[in-house]
Amino acid sequence: MNDVQFLVHSGIGRITLNRPRALNSLNHDMVLAITEHLEAWRSDAGVRAVLIDGAGDRGLCAGGDIRAIYEDARGGGTASLRFWADEYRLNALISRYPKPYLALMDGLVMGGGVGVSAHGSHRIVTERSRVGMPEVGIGFIPDVGGTYLLSRAPGELGTHIALTAGSITGPDAIHCGLADHFVPSERIPDLLDALTSRTPDAALDLFAEPAPASGLAADAEWIDHCYAADTVEEILTRLRAGGDAAATTAKEIEAKSPTSLKVTLRALRAAAALPDLEAVLAQEFRVSTRALSSAEFAEGIRAQIIDKDRSPQWAPVTLSEVDESLVDSYFADLGDAEWNEVAR
């Protein structure tokens, strides 16, 4: 299919996301095609490693096809649930893939782009990388295993990334455990050439460099203090009293959906205690299912993506209006509709 291209050359199975005008955002057909090829390559002796990258010069992938999800949510549909179930199954497949799985996380790597890269065995960033989970900004939560990854970042850095919905640099991604290797973007063609005759580890030994210092790591002291609080309200109180950078961060968080903030914090804390990625994906699917039927998610997409007025009308409006029963409803058991029961 044109939206994603597949090529096997010199033992490398290459997956290229090919929607550059849409920042290589993922749709359902792309997810199914990638899964099909990974399953086939698993037992193919002619494929010794897999590599995923994105067409164009703007990045690997900016996430899922948000417009399609918006139309589904507005129409009361269920297509997004099937998309998410298959996407999450793909994320799990990548995490346990038996062959080296290299992800070129150059440029923008957001949302679903993190899902098809940061669960791989060899995750490569550059000086151009901007990695993020921006879902709270559209009334959603980090998914595709995002709460698994962020809950395991050092200290409270993952909580900071999730609640601000901001992006981080390549060095930040390495520090937070979302990436492994730093390769200058100008050396990527050389790396690809080396992969034709060397193992992934040997090729990376040639071209990976020590990552520059992580700016996020330098802010860890105030971040860890502020975000260690048990509630979003207390986090904001600490941020407002934490100095200029912290106070500015508080304002960023205050613009987000109060419901999404509370659900995200609950999801992160719970994910930290769950045993593996699959268990976290099951939790994320419950939350995604509930979010699809909420007016909050559709309103967030409308304000940020459709109308672009950047003025979402959240409801409830304030954190104090988001009661625990509403948060609990996002985590309710789905019975026969759990993620691994949804038809492929």
Side-chain angles (χ1 to χ4, degrees):
M1 60 181 296
N2 291 332
D3 286 351
V4 56
Q5 298 176 339
F6 302 93
L7 174 69
V8 176
H9 177 65
S10 299
I12 305 298
R14 186 168 179 175
I15 303 166
T16 299
L17 307 182
N18 189 40
R19 299 182 68 203
R21 291 185 179 180
L23 291 173
N24 298 320
S25 60
L26 293 168
N27 58 40
H28 201 170
D29 286 343
M30 293 167 71
V31 166
L32 293 175
I34 295 169
T35 300
E36 178 183 356
H37 279 77
L38 287 179
E39 292 286 9
W41 289 344
R42 182 204 295 263
S43 57
D44 186 342
V47 176
R48 55 186 174 83
V50 172
L51 180 142
I52 189 168
D53 64 353
D57 59 2
R58 298 177 67 186
L60 171 65
C61 174
D65 191 338
I66 294 297
R67 288 180 178 270
I69 295 172
Y70 174 74
E71 295 301 332
D72 191 38
R74 289 190 68 198
T78 59
S80 296
L81 299 182
R82 294 190 295 275
F83 166 66
W84 283 325
D86 285 325
E87 184 181 25
Y88 297 0
R89 283 190 279 255
L90 172 59
N91 302 148
L93 172 61
I94 291 168
S95 75
R96 59 174 183 266
Y97 204 65
K99 297 180 179 181
Y101 182 100
L102 292 83
L104 294 185
M105 302 170 70
D106 185 33
L108 287 175
V109 186
M110 301 289 172
V114 173
V116 296
S117 60
H119 298 302
S121 61
H122 296 68
R123 304 163 300 176
I124 302 151
V125 290
T126 75
E127 79 285 353
R128 293 166 13 99
S129 296
R130 300 300 300 180
V131 182
M133 301 297 298
E135 289 81 2
V136 173
I138 55 171
F140 197 43
I141 71 153
D143 68 333
V144 298
T147 59
Y148 176 86
L149 295 165
L150 295 179
S151 68
R152 286 156 173 78
E156 294 294 333
L157 297 183
T159 310
H160 171 73
I161 293 167
L163 297 188
T164 58
S167 62
I168 60 176
T169 66
D172 291 337
I174 291 174
H175 180 75
C176 290
L178 277 69
D180 308 296
H181 305 280
F182 182 88
V183 177
S185 58
E186 64 182 15
R187 304 307 303 274
I188 292 296
D190 298 325
L191 173 64
L192 295 177
D193 183 61
L195 285 170
T196 64
S197 59
R198 291 175 170 83
T199 66
D201 288 336
L204 284 163
D205 282 344
L206 289 176
F207 299 108
E209 299 181 359
S214 163
L216 202 57
D219 290 331
E221 184 174 357
W222 67 262
I223 287 175
D224 288 350
H225 167 71
C226 294
Y227 290 93
D230 293 330
T231 67
V232 178
E233 290 92 335
E234 178 58 25
I235 288 172
L236 288 171
T237 296
R238 294 186 184 187
L239 286 170
R240 293 185 193 108
D244 291 346
T248 298
T249 299
K251 292 179 180 178
E252 294 175 8
I253 294 174
E254 288 166 347
K256 307 300 188 291
S257 159
T259 302
S260 293
L261 289 170
K262 287 202 169 185
V263 172
T264 294
L265 184 62
R266 168 87 68 87
L268 286 168
R269 299 299 193 241
L274 290 173
D276 52 35
L277 174 61
E278 282 83 355
V280 175
L281 288 167
Q283 173 178 272
E284 291 179 354
F285 188 74
R286 296 183 194 116
V287 175
S288 298
T289 299
R290 176 67 176 82
L292 186 66
S293 64
S294 73
E296 202 80 341
F297 189 23
E299 172 61 12
I301 299 174
R302 180 208 63 77
Q304 300 295 334
I305 308 297
I306 307 300
D307 296 339
K308 298 182 180 179
D309 58 29
R310 307 293 192 268
S311 299
Q313 302 302 304
W314 304 124
V317 177
T318 65
L319 287 165
S320 62
E321 295 175 86
V322 182
D323 60 42
E324 288 303 301
S325 64
L326 176 59
V327 177
D328 290 343
S329 71
Y330 279 78
F331 297 85
D333 189 277
L334 298 175
D336 291 341
E338 289 286 345
W339 77 298
N340 55 349
E341 300 294 333
V342 175
R344 294 179 184 270

